[in-house]
Amino acid sequence: NPGLYWVIGYDINHIGQTLYHRLFSPGLGDGANFRIIRDEKTDQWRSYNPNTDRERYSESELSPPMIGEHMIDPKTWHFESRAGNVFRSVRLLNGATICAYPSTGDSPKKGDAVDGIWIDEDIDKGSFLKEWQDRLATNDGWFLWSVWPQVANEALVKTLERGEREKDNPDRAIEVFRLISQDNQYSD
């Protein structure tokens, strides 16, 4: 979708040290070592499973970036710090624009109609959350907050509580997905 997407990290260090790598580096970058392997039955690439694929490790490889260079218009990178991978924005060849914002500062980014927002982990200012969600209304956009359970702030707690209240509503505006590490067959 050639829309506008925001990625939000705690601060500019989170943008450069985590978000950049999760989106644009092989294996999800910086020691994440996310591996893929061809499935023996389907011959399709899938996640490497250390529980069942250990003897085939040599056949596995780091996953390609989620967003590879072949998808990016290289002239559109805008960096706050190129050396630190702190990107401000980039345009993909399909016309989509990805902008990165920290959750710190005096006020949240305002004014744009946004197609999707991804918050990774914690945010500094929970009061920014409503403004970010309001940016999605015009384009009927999506909102994703990926967070480990030990990260708790008032905005996250209220979001989880709202998801719990709406879980049985067929017209719910929010849905919470809990992924439990022990249930992940691809994790050792």
Side-chain angles (χ1 to χ4, degrees), residues 17-74:
Q17 296 169 3
T18 303
L19 295 178
Y20 175 87
H21 293 294
R22 295 299 177 261
L23 294 173
F24 307 111
S25 295
L28 302 177
D30 261 8
N33 199 26
F34 183 74
R35 303 191 73 78
I36 58 174
I37 193 167
R38 287 209 179 262
D39 189 89
E40 290 180 306
K41 292 179 181 149
T42 67
D43 201 38
Q44 298 294 310
W45 288 103
R46 63 165 171 80
S47 298
Y48 170 80
N49 181 341
N51 296 310
T52 60
D53 298 325
R54 194 170 313 275
E55 61 281 346
R56 296 181 58 213
Y57 182 84
S58 63
E59 298 173 45
S60 73
E61 56 187 66
L62 284 179
S63 68
M66 276 203 234
I67 302 173
E69 289 182 27
H70 67 284
M71 300 170 72
I72 298 170
D73 179 346

Side-chain angles (χ1 to χ4, degrees), residues 76-139:
T76 65
W77 277 110
H78 178 205
F79 282 92
E80 185 163 319
S81 166
R82 180 65 177 120
N85 293 323
V86 180
F87 75 104
R88 300 286 306 255
S89 65
V90 65
R91 179 162 293 138
L92 305 184
L93 294 175
N94 73 353
T97 300
I98 301 171
C99 299
Y101 297 105
S103 70
T104 52
D106 296 331
S107 64
K109 171 70 171 95
K110 299 177 181 176
D112 295 332
V114 181
D115 294 277
I117 295 176
W118 168 39
I119 296 177
D120 184 50
E121 298 289 353
D122 205 1
I123 56 175
D124 182 50
K125 302 227 173 43
S127 60
F128 290 9
L129 188 60
K130 178 161 181 3
E131 178 64 34
W132 293 329
Q133 290 173 328
D134 289 350
R135 300 295 97 225
L136 301 166
T138 301
N139 295 348

